[in-house]
Amino acid sequence: MDHLAEVSARVSEEIANNSIRDMNILLCELSEDTQLSREDRYSQQQRLRVAVSRHSTEKAQLAEQRRQWLTQGGIIT
């Protein structure tokens, strides 16, 4: 397995784990990876950025949905 395939598999694993901390750590590691071309490094980092963004958006949407359920009918249940 070449280095790009290993990195891609690791990125996929971190995205599946859905841990913002671990994805951010990997983003930093990729910034210093000299074995990847600039384009390959960017594409893998972009996958992580999108996953982090999606995680944050979903978290906000779930919080809003929970707030609506709790205040349904004007009464907090």
Side-chain angles (χ1 to χ4, degrees):
M1 182 182 284
D2 68 336
H3 185 63
L4 177 57
E6 290 173 9
V7 169
S8 182
R10 185 163 175 217
V11 168
S12 295
E13 181 182 336
E14 294 301 341
I15 290 171
N17 289 341
N18 204 23
S19 169
I20 299 297
R21 179 183 171 274
D22 294 338
M23 285 189 269
N24 282 330
I25 289 171
L26 185 54
L27 269 169
C28 293
E29 288 176 14
L30 287 173
S31 294
E32 300 171 2
D33 191 331
T34 58
Q35 296 180 35
L36 294 175
S37 70
R38 183 176 181 182
E39 293 80 18
D40 290 337
R41 189 170 51 244
Y42 177 81
S43 68
Q44 296 305 314
Q45 287 177 316
Q46 192 64 17
R47 289 177 59 204
L48 290 166
R49 288 184 196 105
V50 168
V52 168
S53 175
R54 188 175 301 131
H55 181 275
S56 299
T57 302
E58 288 172 358
K59 187 174 181 178
Q61 289 171 343
L62 288 173
E64 176 60 23
Q65 185 179 38
R66 182 174 185 272
R67 186 194 68 75
Q68 288 177 359
W69 284 339
L70 289 173
T71 59
Q72 191 173 21
I75 300 172
I76 296 178
T77 56

